[in-house]
Amino acid sequence: MGTSTPTPSGEQEIPEVGGTYRTVTSSPAETLNPLYNNEAGAGTLIGYALDLGYTFKPGNTLMPQLYDLTTDDGGKTWTGKVRENLEFGAGYGQVTAEDFVYQVQELHQAEWASTADSSAWPAEVTIEQTSEFEFEITLPSANLLYPQTYDPLLYAIPKDLIKPYVENEDDKGLQEDQELLNLEFTGNLGAYTLEEWNRSSGQTYTRNDDYYLQEATDQNALFENAPYFESLENSVVQEQASRLAALETGETDSAAVPPERVEEFDSMDGVNVYLIPQPYNEVCVYNMRENGWNAGPGNLFREKKFRQGLGCAVDKQTLVEGVFRGYANVEYTWQPRWSQWYPSEADMMEFGTGDLYGAEAAQSRIEEAIANTEYDYSYDSNGRLLNPSGEQCTITLYHSAGQNTERSMAEFIAQEFEDNAGIAVEVNAIQGAQFAREYWQQEIPENADELEWSNGAYNAGPRDVATSPNAWDMTVVFGLNTYPLNPLAGEVFFQKDSFYNPYGYYPSWDAKSLFEEANSATSQEELKEIFGEIFVNIAEDQPMGMLAFPSGRSGYSADIDGPAENFFNGWDFGAWHREE
Amino acid sequence: MGMEWYIVRRVAWAAIVTFIIVSITWGLMAAAPNPEVQAAATQAAMDGDDPTAAAERAEARLQLDRPLHERFMDYVVGVYTLNWGWSNTRNQPVTQAILESLYYTVQYSVPWTILTVLIGPLVGLYSAANQYSWKDHVATGFAFFGFAIPNFFFGIILLLLFGVTLRWIPIVYQTDVPVFSVQNAIQLAVPVFVLVTGSIGAIMRVSRNESVEYTNADFVKTARAKGVSTYRIYFRHVLRPTMVPLSTTIVGYLLALFTGSSLLVEVVFGIPGLGRTLYDAVVAQDTSLVLGSTLFFTFVATIGNLIQDLVYTLLDPRISFEDR
């Protein structure tokens, strides 16, 4: 998994065009309006008819779609070169740099429009048209990984379409515009053209004969006559059993497969299951705020050695094989192993594996941590951790109700903590939204103005003063994004005063300076070195129990040629075809 | 006066009841935290974006940042000017969303209702005619089986049997086939079967018990003595009086003709009908669509009740609306 697939090159036989590509989704799309969609599923549906500015292909290289982004001053100024063969439909004419610049300046950077992309375009980022097919983005400070933040990623929307709404500052009208909702303006900008959107049951598309990427054979020889299906259909099938039945009978060409049925489906003649790496991890988060660690006085989670001890208590390989049935990779630091930013393994502390796993490894570190505090915790002869009152330390662990895999993971952690760290863990189920509201978010202190920082409900202040309404110890409810393409975006998870620190983590390493250095790095080599240092520090400091990277499991009809087991699966969707 | 005055008062009362129900629904929706706002914040949080800002953007987009009384007044004005608003989860006018869903619901609920109304009393009559015989037990067993087995479970089993194993029916519901076509009949056969088996149980038992009462009645004995054929006795002398008490149940079913939809069956078979539309709207707190659907159902129910009351006077002239 995660290995790169070489781009097809040289002489390649061009497939026949024909047939229908069928896919199923579990829930209906709310909107297909590209300016207001913020759901990944609907993004895919929009993407069939309307390409985004660029994408990434195996090898982590940028593939220009509508435009290319380059920098020659170390990432402060970025030049966007728009392709010259892009045409809108519905009489809107050729796509030019002006369409992108107008969209950013008048919608994303305007107060009234509240578009999905507005957070990507703060006022200090400027965009100017420099020629008919060229625009220039200037950042407040250099960022070599700017395209990887996805911030400069835009759809092409005709200036003339949005202009009346801009003049009237009519956000409601813009959200409800029929041409935007039904993607009527997409011209040659997508592999397919949306024919019908039945709100509850799905979409049908037809082949776009003039797809602009047909001229991009330098990226993939198979783009020459792309796409290769006459039509594409997406059906909403809410019941998982029905989606899987459709995959089995060949009524759909793709559907997600749950872990317990991967083997069964992969062994079918008509289906192949691909394990697709994804960036979200499974973490056991410790509450280092004042209302965390409710097993006794003090908050032991704040001790680095204690967290390391907990890291030694859970066997990650067994977790991956037992709970995730092998469809996941172990996680040691805030980056998957296949990422180009993953430090060399010699430097990494791999908690939960080898010498860094087991009762001895866990308890010795926990004892060191206790010695560092003023409280009288100790181990008894049965290896149970006792609090100063002489009772075994008991803490709670929350997981999302109704999520079987998550529940198994929580129970496994509880068992390992009990066996190896001598800490009893009570496993509790809770609805994700309720946990977010009552445990994860903090109440804003009344004297917020006088605090060193107070950054909203997810980091309402220093950990001694700002806490959530209810006490909690540990949770596995939320997986977080590790940003394998652009780890800079993950900075917020490790700064004590960022707007996201519900767990009250204070790094024992100099996170601020290292991320600042990474932000101002001028070459990839320099970046790699700094990220290496950052991820080694994170592995050592154990801000949370970093456990696993589960893979996405997608089943495809065996005769579909195109899907690949890597993070970039789908980058060349236009070239996918049915084998004859 | 008399019946006219009664109808006027009932219609006026229906308008007030509708307003109260819809206002309560509106209040409940407004009081609950909006999951879309929560989801926007959570997604932003997982991605390291500012969750508070994301929640504020979602609130602005859903117009939840306006004062409560303004939102309520807008809604009330909309209801009475037939402007039922815009569905945020489907991005289309509420009226269009309801009509589109109704189109698919009607396709299975009409055959479902007709078959239930036809088969239920007949099976009951058959059971009564063969009381305590093996035929009665089989018919009763069939009725209880359909009544007892959960529709969604039965649906999945039949889908796996006929769709996956035998491949007689499609798994994915096709919305693009004509309404009156063989393909549509094939894809609707199993959902209709599941629904009919689930709903005839009650009717069958009521009609069996009523019929049993009449099979030994004096007028039936007289008919038999006169040499009237068995079929004529059952259809003319037993079924007819049986249908009088049964008709209240059946009127209920006829009412359900256009509104009766089954969420779970729609989910299992992927039918984009009213049940799913309303359920999805409730879960996602699509206020306009929930209220539009509530209005629709309340309207049909209150008007339906009124018609049912009026039908009594036609069925039984002894019932009078004078002085009510």
Side-chain angles (χ1 to χ4, degrees):
Chain A
M1 277 193 328
T3 51
S4 59
T5 305
T7 307
S9 58
E11 285 299 306
Q12 206 161 359
E13 201 177 319
I14 301 302
E16 290 282 314
V17 173
T20 301
Y21 181 80
R22 292 190 179 84
T23 175
V24 286
T25 45
S26 59
S27 56
E30 283 191 8
T31 184
L32 295 185
N33 185 330
L35 293 170
Y36 285 97
N37 171 55
N38 49 18
E39 290 174 11
T44 306
L45 298 172
I46 295 169
Y48 293 138
L50 187 65
D51 278 350
L52 276 157
Y54 57 88
T55 187
F56 289 92
K57 61 182 188 180
N60 192 11
T61 43
L62 184 142
M63 184 187 102
Q65 292 187 140
L66 308 180
Y67 48 81
D68 196 4
L69 277 179
T70 51
T71 180
D72 46 21
D73 64 354
K76 178 131 173 79
T77 329
W78 289 83
T79 306
K81 267 205 178 67
V82 181
R83 278 183 199 272
E84 294 184 23
N85 64 338
L86 306 177
E87 288 286 339
F88 287 120
Y92 287 111
Q94 192 173 11
V95 179
T96 65
E98 193 186 5
D99 293 300
F100 296 107
V101 173
Y102 186 82
Q103 182 193 148
V104 172
Q105 289 176 341
E106 301 297 336
L107 292 183
H108 304 320
Q109 294 189 324
E111 280 287 307
W112 61 272
S114 309
T115 55
D117 274 350
S118 52
S119 61
W121 296 96
E124 54 275 21
V125 174
T126 59
I127 180 168
E128 297 293 338
Q129 186 182 357
T130 45
S131 75
E132 191 177 4
F133 295 103
E134 209 170 275
F135 56 83
E136 197 172 89
I137 302 169
T138 310
L139 304 179
S141 59
N143 182 355
L144 268 182
L145 297 179
Y146 184 52
Q148 282 84 348
T149 62
Y150 295 113
D151 281 353
L153 195 56
L154 293 165
Y155 289 106
I157 310 285
K159 180 187 169 190
D160 290 341
L161 194 162
I162 50 183
K163 205 171 171 188
Y165 299 112
V166 169
E167 282 164 2
N168 297 319
E169 299 200 348
D170 178 10
D171 59 328
K172 200 164 174 342
L174 191 63
Q175 285 181 51
E176 298 175 7
D177 182 273
Q178 289 302 308
E179 282 186 290
L180 288 170
L181 279 173
N182 294 318
L183 302 173
E184 289 169 12
F185 61 91
T186 55
N188 72 351
L189 303 176
Y192 297 88
T193 304
L194 178 66
E195 286 300 317
E196 197 196 346
W197 173 22
N198 183 314
R199 295 300 196 275
S200 301
S201 70
Q203 295 76 9
T204 50
Y205 303 79
T206 50
R207 179 173 185 266
N208 198 339
D209 298 335
D210 308 318
Y211 186 34
Y212 74 95
L213 270 186
Q214 288 172 356
E215 291 180 22
T217 46
D218 55 322
Q219 299 292 335
N220 184 337
L222 290 182
F223 283 153
E224 186 175 321
N225 195 30
Y228 295 99
F229 298 99
E230 273 306 339
S231 57
L232 188 154
E233 284 176 19
N234 172 58
S235 304
V236 178
V237 181
Q238 287 180 313
E239 175 54 46
Q240 188 186 57
S242 307
R243 291 195 298 277
L244 292 172
L247 182 64
E248 186 178 348
T249 58
E251 276 182 61
T252 180
D253 291 309
S254 84
V257 181
E260 66 276 13
R261 300 194 66 182
V262 169
E263 218 166 295
E264 175 195 344
F265 272 80
D266 208 23
S267 65
M268 290 176 188
D269 288 342
V271 179
N272 287 334
V273 181
Y274 290 78
L275 301 178
I276 316 240
Q278 47 100 38
Y280 295 94
N281 59 9
E282 294 289 350
V283 278
C284 178
V285 180
Y286 316 127
N287 183 6
M288 290 170 256
R289 290 186 177 270
E290 199 55 24
N291 63 351
W293 184 258
N294 295 287
N299 186 334
L300 296 186
F301 289 134
R302 293 181 182 179
E303 299 294 322
K304 171 173 150 182
K305 279 285 174 189
F306 184 75
R307 296 193 302 268
Q308 288 186 342
L310 297 181
C312 293
V314 182
D315 180 349
K316 291 179 183 170
Q317 197 56 42
T318 305
L319 173 82
V320 160
E321 278 161 20
V323 175
F324 294 97
R325 293 170 192 253
Y327 308 120
N329 290 316
V330 291
E331 181 189 15
Y332 296 114
T333 187
W334 208 256
Q335 203 69 181
R337 201 184 284 266
W338 56 265
S339 157
Q340 63 166 325
W341 311 113
Y342 193 86
S344 73
E345 286 173 31
D347 303 336
M348 290 278 295
M349 295 184 84
E350 299 188 338
F351 287 103
T353 301
D355 292 346
L356 291 181
Y357 168 69
E360 158 59 25
Q363 295 185 9
S364 61
R365 283 174 176 78
I366 291 174
E367 277 172 336
E368 265 185 74
I370 293 168
N372 205 28
T373 68
E374 56 189 278
Y375 307 106
D376 193 16
Y377 287 90
S378 60
Y379 275 105
D380 69 4
S381 55
N382 296 324
R384 299 185 312 161
L385 181 65
L386 307 179
N387 63 18
S389 321
E391 290 157 357
Q392 187 181 17
C393 293
T394 304
I395 52 177
T396 52
L397 170 58
Y398 285 95
H399 70 87
S400 309
Q403 307 262 357
N404 291 340
T405 312
E406 217 179 285
R407 193 192 64 220
S408 306
M409 180 168 72
E411 283 167 355
F412 179 74
I413 294 170
Q415 188 191 322
E416 290 281 83
F417 272 29
E418 174 104 47
D419 292 351
N420 295 323
I423 299 169
V425 178
E426 273 175 25
V427 174
N428 292 330
I430 192 168
Q431 293 293 337
Q434 189 192 352
F435 185 80
R437 217 170 35 241
E438 297 171 13
Y439 296 83
W440 198 239
Q441 300 176 16
Q442 300 103 56
E443 293 169 308
I444 313 276
E446 280 174 20
N447 61 341
D449 297 346
E450 301 157 21
L451 297 175
E452 200 182 333
W453 71 83
S454 182
N455 270 333
Y458 294 83
N459 187 2
R463 61 190 184 186
D464 287 328
V465 288
T467 54
S468 53
N470 295 302
W472 60 282
D473 298 317
M474 303 193 293
T475 177
V476 289
V477 170
F478 300 111
L480 300 167
N481 199 332
T482 56
Y483 291 100
L485 299 191
N486 172 30
L488 277 175
E491 179 182 353
V492 290
F493 299 127
F494 308 105
Q495 305 288 12
K496 65 178 181 181
D497 56 355
S498 72
F499 54 73
Y500 194 80
N501 189 5
Y503 30 80
Y505 169 62
Y506 291 3
S508 70
W509 48 291
D510 193 354
K512 198 143 249 165
S513 315
L514 276 176
F515 274 106
E516 257 166 37
E517 274 180 45
N519 262 312
S520 54
T522 50
S523 70
Q524 295 277 330
E525 292 68 37
E526 199 185 335
L527 256 183
K528 198 164 164 43
E529 198 178 314
I530 301 166
F531 278 140
E533 203 177 328
I534 288 175
F535 294 126
V536 165
N537 282 325
I538 290 175
E540 192 190 329
D541 207 32
Q542 293 284 301
M544 47 191 93
M546 294 169 282
L547 302 169
F549 284 104
S551 306
R553 299 156 309 272
S554 301
Y556 290 98
S557 291
D559 58 354
I560 296 292
D561 194 352
E565 282 196 330
N566 64 50
F567 187 68
F568 308 93
N569 177 47
W571 72 275
D572 57 350
F573 181 71
W576 288 20
H577 55 273
R578 207 177 287 280
E579 281 169 0
E580 285 149 33
Chain B
M1 301 301 273
M3 189 184 280
E4 293 81 3
W5 176 231
Y6 176 74
I7 293 174
V8 169
R9 278 190 304 154
R10 282 290 302 264
V11 170
W13 181 236
I16 295 170
V17 167
T18 309
F19 179 77
I20 293 171
I21 290 176
V22 167
S23 298
I24 292 172
T25 315
W26 187 92
L28 290 173
M29 301 282 292
N34 190 293
E36 212 171 316
V37 173
Q38 192 66 50
T42 306
Q43 186 60 46
M46 287 167 71
D47 288 337
D49 289 332
D50 187 346
T52 315
E56 279 167 11
R57 270 201 308 282
E59 279 181 356
R61 185 166 55 79
L62 299 169
Q63 306 207 325
L64 296 177
D65 51 350
R66 297 165 56 226
L68 269 185
H69 65 275
E70 263 183 43
R71 281 157 53 199
F72 182 68
M73 282 316 291
D74 273 7
Y75 178 69
V76 172
V77 170
V79 165
Y80 291 98
T81 52
L82 288 182
N83 172 15
W84 288 6
W86 184 264
S87 159
N88 285 323
T89 55
R90 295 167 63 101
N91 272 287
Q92 63 182 166
V94 167
T95 40
Q96 196 184 338
I98 292 174
L99 287 175
E100 272 182 19
S101 312
L102 202 54
Y103 175 74
Y104 297 105
T105 293
V106 167
Q107 287 181 39
Y108 73 83
S109 64
V110 168
W112 164 31
T113 309
I114 292 173
L115 288 173
T116 302
V117 167
L118 281 181
I119 296 174
L122 287 183
V123 175
L125 186 67
Y126 180 78
S127 266
N130 300 284
Q131 204 183 0
Y132 304 130
S133 71
W134 66 270
K135 293 172 185 168
D136 177 24
H137 292 314
V138 168
T140 305
F142 174 71
F144 278 152
F145 171 78
F147 194 65
I149 191 167
N151 278 351
F152 75 94
F153 176 71
F154 195 31
I156 290 176
I157 297 292
L158 293 182
L159 198 65
L160 290 176
L161 176 65
F162 292 107
V164 179
T165 310
L166 300 172
R167 309 219 170 179
W168 289 355
I169 58 164
I171 306 283
V172 178
Y173 181 83
Q174 303 294 319
T175 50
D176 52 355
V177 297
V179 176
F180 297 102
S181 65
V182 178
Q183 295 111 297
N184 203 27
I186 290 173
Q187 70 177 352
L188 288 175
V190 174
V192 168
F193 177 73
V194 168
L195 288 165
V196 169
T197 52
S199 58
I200 59 171
I203 291 192
M204 178 266 170
R205 291 305 292 174
V206 172
S207 77
R208 179 184 177 278
N209 292 350
E210 291 290 333
S211 307
V212 164
E213 206 177 294
Y214 294 112
T215 42
N216 293 319
D218 289 345
F219 60 87
V220 172
K221 286 180 186 159
T222 311
R224 215 168 254 148
K226 281 164 71 183
V228 177
S229 78
T230 312
Y231 282 111
R232 195 175 162 83
I233 286 175
Y234 277 109
F235 280 95
R236 239 194 129 96
H237 299 286
V238 178
L239 189 59
R240 256 178 81 179
T242 300
M243 289 305 284
V244 174
L246 205 59
S247 63
T248 44
T249 320
I250 287 180
V251 166
Y253 270 109
L254 287 172
L255 263 183
L257 196 93
F258 290 108
T259 56
S261 51
S262 167
L263 167 67
L264 293 173
V265 167
E266 286 185 1
V267 167
V268 170
F269 293 98
I271 302 171
L274 261 187
R276 255 176 62 185
T277 301
L278 179 57
Y279 174 76
D280 290 345
V282 171
V283 170
Q285 276 189 34
D286 185 345
T287 312
S288 303
L289 187 51
V290 172
L291 295 174
S293 313
T294 311
L295 257 179
F296 177 77
F297 285 121
T298 313
F299 176 78
V300 170
T302 43
I303 296 301
N305 270 320
L306 179 61
I307 294 172
Q308 192 174 327
D309 285 356
L310 298 179
V311 166
Y312 284 142
T313 61
L314 302 178
L315 286 177
D316 189 343
R318 286 170 300 181
I319 297 173
S320 156
F321 289 97
E322 296 292 334
D323 307 324
R324 288 186 68 175

